[in-house]
């Protein structure tokens, strides 16, 4: 599993929340989540996916399971579902795991959603991240996403013509 799962083990605020976490979810949901983590660590994302889905079914507001499922869908290259679960988790709390903005941005890059990608990478950078490698990559990707979004909106005509059989046919 990616580093996102590890980043989710951050201390959790214990005041009124819109979601449940590792410390506040039900035993059943936590059991499914832990089974999913075990399967993911064994390199079995498809099996882990099933456990994370069961955890969410047991507790629909279990933010850690939503992030883990989103990360698992990246492994499975199902970017549409990955984006969906990142957005659901971030809708519960944007400050819980700011690293999720980075992974959501990368997911959107894969989907060629450059404007969304730029917005989420900017949110990640705005959170004052401490991981220098992710920060460096996010800055570079943000620049590329902004360029790509602009380029897609303003296409340049391209009409290649054969210069004859003596030149690169």
């Amino acid at each position: 599993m990616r580093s996102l799962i590890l980043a989710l083990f951050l201390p959790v605020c214990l005041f009124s929340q819109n979601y449940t976490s590792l410390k506040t979810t039900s035993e059943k949901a936590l059991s499914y989540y832990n089974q999913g983590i075990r399967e993911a660590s064994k390199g079995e994302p498809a099996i882990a996916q099933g456990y994370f889905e069961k955890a969410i079914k047991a507790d629909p507001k279990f933010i850690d399971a939503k992030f883990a499922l989103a990360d698992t869908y990246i492994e499975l290259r199902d970017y549409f579902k990955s984006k969906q679960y990142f957005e659901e988790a971030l809708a519960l709390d944007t400050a819980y795991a700011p690293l999720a903005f980075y992974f959501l941005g990368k997911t959107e890059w894969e989907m060629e959603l450059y404007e969304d990608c730029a917005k989420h990478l900017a949110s990640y950078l705005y959170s004052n991240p401490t991981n220098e490698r992710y920060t460096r990559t996010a800055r570079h990707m943000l620049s590329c996403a902004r360029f790509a979004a602009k380029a897609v909106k303003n296409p340049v005509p391209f009409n290649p013509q054969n210069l004859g059989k003596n030149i690169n046919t």
Side-chain angles (χ1 to χ4, degrees):
M1 260 345 264
R2 290 189 163 55
S3 303
L4 175 64
I5 298 291
L6 296 176
L8 295 177
F9 292 101
L10 300 171
V12 178
C13 298
L14 296 177
F15 53 88
S16 177
Q17 306 177 86
N18 245 6
Y19 59 88
T20 58
S21 66
L22 291 170
K23 294 181 181 181
T24 59
T25 193
S26 69
E27 286 286 325
K28 185 177 183 180
L30 186 59
S31 174
Y32 286 134
Y33 174 84
N34 287 332
Q35 288 174 302
I37 293 294
R38 279 193 292 280
E39 293 301 327
S41 69
K42 290 193 280 185
E44 298 289 345
I47 297 171
Q49 169 201 342
Y51 284 117
F52 294 137
E53 287 174 347
K54 287 179 181 180
I56 292 168
K57 188 173 183 180
D59 180 357
K61 293 192 175 197
F62 187 7
I63 195 167
D64 297 285
K66 288 182 184 281
F67 282 130
L69 185 56
D71 194 46
T72 300
Y73 278 123
I74 290 175
E75 293 284 322
L76 296 171
R77 298 194 186 288
D78 188 339
Y79 300 115
F80 178 79
K81 285 189 177 179
S82 177
K83 177 177 170 41
Q84 173 191 338
Y85 282 101
F86 274 126
E87 288 175 341
E88 284 182 22
L90 288 166
L92 294 173
D93 186 356
T94 58
Y96 186 78
L99 184 59
F101 283 113
Y102 172 82
F103 287 106
L104 176 56
K106 287 187 75 163
T107 298
E108 291 163 337
W109 176 267
E110 293 295 330
M111 297 173 71
E112 299 179 3
L113 299 172
Y114 303 118
E115 286 183 24
D116 292 341
C117 172
K119 180 177 83 173
H120 291 116
L121 290 172
S123 294
Y124 169 70
L125 292 170
Y126 183 73
S127 73
N128 296 319
T130 57
N131 185 310
E132 191 56 40
R133 185 178 68 129
Y134 288 146
T135 302
R136 195 172 34 253
T137 302
R139 283 188 184 122
H140 176 72
M141 282 186 69
L142 176 59
S143 170
C144 292
R146 285 178 174 159
F147 172 80
K150 189 175 179 182
V152 167
K153 285 183 177 179
N154 303 301
V156 176
F158 181 68
N159 187 18
Q161 296 182 11
N162 190 331
L163 297 177
K165 67 186 213 181
N166 293 330
I167 310 279
N168 291 338
T169 55

